[in-house]
Amino acid sequence: MSARNNHHRRRIKLNPHSLFCFLLVSMLCSKQGSAQVNNHSSPPFTARLINMEAATNTTFTYNTRLHNGAATSRVYQLSASLPPGWSSSFKVEGVQVTSLNIDSEKTQDISLEINPAIETKPGKYNIPVLAVTGTDSARLNLEAVVKGTYTVTLTTPSGRLSDEVTEGNRKEIHLLVKNTGTITLDNLDLSGQAPPQWEAAFVPSTITRLEPGKDAEVIATLSVPDKTLAGDYVTNFSVKNPNASSTAAFRMTVKTSALTGWLGILVIVAALGAVYYLIRKYGRR
């Protein structure tokens, strides 16, 4: 028994190189296995949000990240499969790109902006995104939920955008705000850009809620200062909220008052009378 143990010890002592190789291979296999697990747990192409909901006339912006897990740098070609009429653009640090180079074991942030077609119907749309390099590719499946359109129109009940006013007076103008979209509009603010020293006031100044297909009447009051020269003046009326806006250019013709006209005539007559008097008085000398 003692002889066998001594023989076994001698065999172990005679093969230290084999034991070292065995340990080295085990470590490499362990690292490779953990790397494979990491690759499966962390996809190379990811997005912070894969599902977004917005109006048809709104830009869908996705913040994505692309990781190069290869041992060398790679050039990736970027593309997105979109419904007909849609458009997209990839941006890296604010610069539009169609491809990019990523160093080994590096991750790049990529912004993807998607604009639906105006005639797009409400619904959910799948958008596959690909990053292709050589024979390899990374796929990212995004979703865009279109819920309708934000649209508002500002006009008058008759459609006429002109009127007359006398200097020094006020003029009430009836405006009509229409929700021509398919989504409810909240907190629509009215404002006006009038000529210098003119004043514009609105009742109401804010429309709290306007359902699709509905309209609301607003009374705008323009105050014209005294001694305003006769002529045409333009005031831009606006209605807006964070999602929609509209502007209407309203032309106002200012006329002078009758009293101002008679005063002008009297001044001219007085001036002519003074000239006639001076001629009669000093003309004979």
Side-chain angles (χ1 to χ4, degrees):
M1 186 72 179
S2 171
R4 288 183 179 178
N5 288 337
N6 293 334
H7 177 69
H8 181 67
R9 291 172 183 172
R10 286 196 298 269
R11 289 183 61 187
I12 294 176
K13 291 180 179 179
L14 291 174
N15 295 285
H17 182 69
S18 299
L19 180 60
F20 175 76
C21 291
F22 174 76
L23 293 175
L24 181 61
V25 171
S26 298
M27 292 175 63
L28 291 175
C29 291
S30 177
K31 288 184 177 180
Q32 184 177 4
S34 63
Q36 290 178 354
V37 171
N38 290 335
N39 287 338
H40 287 297
S41 61
S42 302
F45 206 4
T46 59
R48 183 172 176 269
L49 295 174
I50 63 172
N51 179 289
M52 296 188 66
E53 182 178 356
T56 304
N57 51 348
T58 303
T59 300
F60 290 76
T61 302
Y62 299 87
N63 296 316
T64 69
R65 304 190 77 189
L66 181 59
H67 177 72
N68 178 15
T72 60
S73 62
R74 286 182 167 183
V75 176
Y76 291 87
Q77 300 289 333
L78 305 173
S79 64
S81 298
L82 302 172
W86 291 37
S87 63
S88 66
S89 62
F90 295 89
K91 292 184 178 180
V92 175
E93 297 179 357
V95 179
Q96 185 170 336
V97 298
T98 57
S99 63
L100 72 159
N101 180 76
I102 303 179
D103 293 333
S104 173
E105 297 300 333
K106 297 295 183 180
T107 301
Q108 180 64 59
D109 293 331
I110 305 171
S111 175
L112 172 58
E113 297 181 355
I114 296 177
N115 293 292
I118 297 299
E119 65 275 8
T120 300
K121 296 181 179 180
K124 183 172 72 173
Y125 296 85
N126 296 319
I127 304 173
V129 182
L130 289 177
V132 179
T133 174
T135 58
D136 296 333
S137 64
R139 182 185 179 95
L140 179 61
N141 293 317
L142 301 177
E143 293 178 348
V145 180
V146 178
K147 60 181 182 179
T149 57
Y150 290 111
T151 310
V152 64
T153 302
L154 180 61
T155 184
T156 62
S158 64
R160 181 184 175 186
L161 295 174
S162 62
D163 208 337
E164 297 179 351
V165 66
T166 303
E167 59 162 331
N169 289 346
R170 297 179 178 179
K171 187 71 174 184
E172 287 190 353
I173 303 168
H174 291 261
L175 301 175
L176 196 65
V177 180
K178 298 181 180 180
N179 183 349
T180 52
T182 59
I183 305 175
T184 301
L185 296 172
D186 296 323
N187 299 322
L188 291 164
D189 295 325
L190 279 297
S191 62
Q193 186 177 2
Q197 298 182 358
W198 289 38
E199 293 182 358
F202 301 88
V203 178
S205 59
T206 300
I207 301 173
T208 305
R209 191 174 183 86
L210 192 59
E211 300 291 339
K214 301 297 183 178
D215 54 56
E217 187 170 336
V218 176
I219 298 178
T221 302
L222 278 180
S223 299
V224 182
D226 293 328
K227 300 180 181 180
T228 299
L229 297 178
D232 293 338
Y233 298 82
V234 175
T235 298
N236 292 314
F237 296 120
S238 299
V239 58
K240 65 179 180 179
N241 73 355
N243 299 311
S245 63
S246 180
T247 301
F250 197 93
R251 180 173 56 83
M252 186 67 71
T253 300
V254 176
K255 294 184 176 181
T256 57
S257 64
L259 178 60
T260 302
W262 282 111
L263 288 176
I265 293 175
L266 290 176
V267 170
I268 294 174
V269 170
L272 292 175
V275 172
Y276 177 76
Y277 171 76
L278 293 174
I279 293 175
R280 289 290 301 270
K281 183 176 182 180
Y282 301 103
R284 297 177 182 177
R285 295 182 181 180

